[in-house]
Amino acid sequence: LKPLLDETIQQIIADGFQFVGFSVYATNLLPTSYMMTELKRLAPEICIIIGGPESFQDWLDDRDPNPEHRHPKHLADIINSFDVRIIGEGEEMLLGFLDNHHDYPMAGGPYNFGGVKSRLDLNQLPFPGVYCFGWRFYGHGLLRVVFYSPAVS
């Protein structure tokens, strides 16, 4: 799996993305932590955004993860690599952040957006996959954004 992840990391950097988003699940914690750590090491200027079910976890609120967790090193890698965390229904929060990202300097983060109070009609929002829609549908001009979720099968 590592060669595939390394190839993807190099492609993300070569394509010049400003933002990289990860959906964090318990099942992809290890490859996600690897990719985030490597991206921060190789291209610290890239803003890493996380969301997904694991972004609700309170372990993300503490910069020192519980050593009794099953994967404390990987949790520490994620905790120390993300710049923005989207909690809950994140589609509108993410677009709001991208529209206003200049108001949030990376040195001031990490930033947390959202909560569990919102219910969105997801059928009214564009699917973020680059294969379904062209970038022109996202209305963010010159922003370079990629969403990636390393799946482990």
Side-chain angles (χ1 to χ4, degrees):
L1 184 58
K2 186 177 179 295
L4 175 64
L5 298 178
D6 287 337
E7 179 181 328
T8 303
I9 290 165
Q10 291 302 319
Q11 189 63 52
I12 288 169
I13 293 169
D15 287 345
F17 291 104
Q18 288 177 265
F19 304 91
V20 178
F22 290 92
S23 291
V24 183
Y25 298 88
T27 56
N28 73 357
L29 183 66
L30 303 181
T32 298
S33 70
Y34 175 79
M35 288 189 70
M36 289 173 61
T37 302
E38 286 298 294
L39 280 168
K40 273 299 174 195
R41 184 178 69 79
L42 298 170
E45 70 281 1
I46 293 176
C47 178
I48 295 180
I49 303 168
I50 63 169
E54 295 301 317
S55 70
F56 281 97
Q57 301 299 327
D58 59 359
W59 51 258
L60 285 169
D61 296 328
D62 186 3
R63 300 307 273 179
D64 296 312
N66 181 348
E68 295 179 16
H69 188 278
R70 186 172 170 189
H71 299 290
K73 181 205 177 306
H74 301 291
L75 290 181
D77 291 343
I78 288 176
I79 289 168
N80 294 309
S81 297
F82 78 87
D83 300 297
V84 175
R85 172 171 66 158
I86 307 290
I87 301 169
E89 300 294 342
E91 290 76 7
E92 288 180 350
M93 291 290 170
L94 177 61
L95 292 176
F97 168 74
L98 293 174
D99 283 339
N100 300 293
H101 72 279
H102 293 295
D103 295 337
Y104 301 96
M106 284 182 37
Y111 300 101
N112 296 295
F113 295 95
V116 294
K117 62 183 177 201
S118 67
R119 296 268 186 220
L120 300 177
D121 180 1
L122 298 181
N123 291 324
Q124 300 300 314
L125 300 172
F127 183 78
V130 297
Y131 304 107
C132 298
F133 290 91
W135 287 108
R136 70 183 185 278
F137 292 108
Y138 287 88
H140 290 287
L142 299 177
L143 295 180
R144 298 284 311 208
V145 181
V146 64
F147 298 92
Y148 188 75
S149 179
V152 178
S153 55

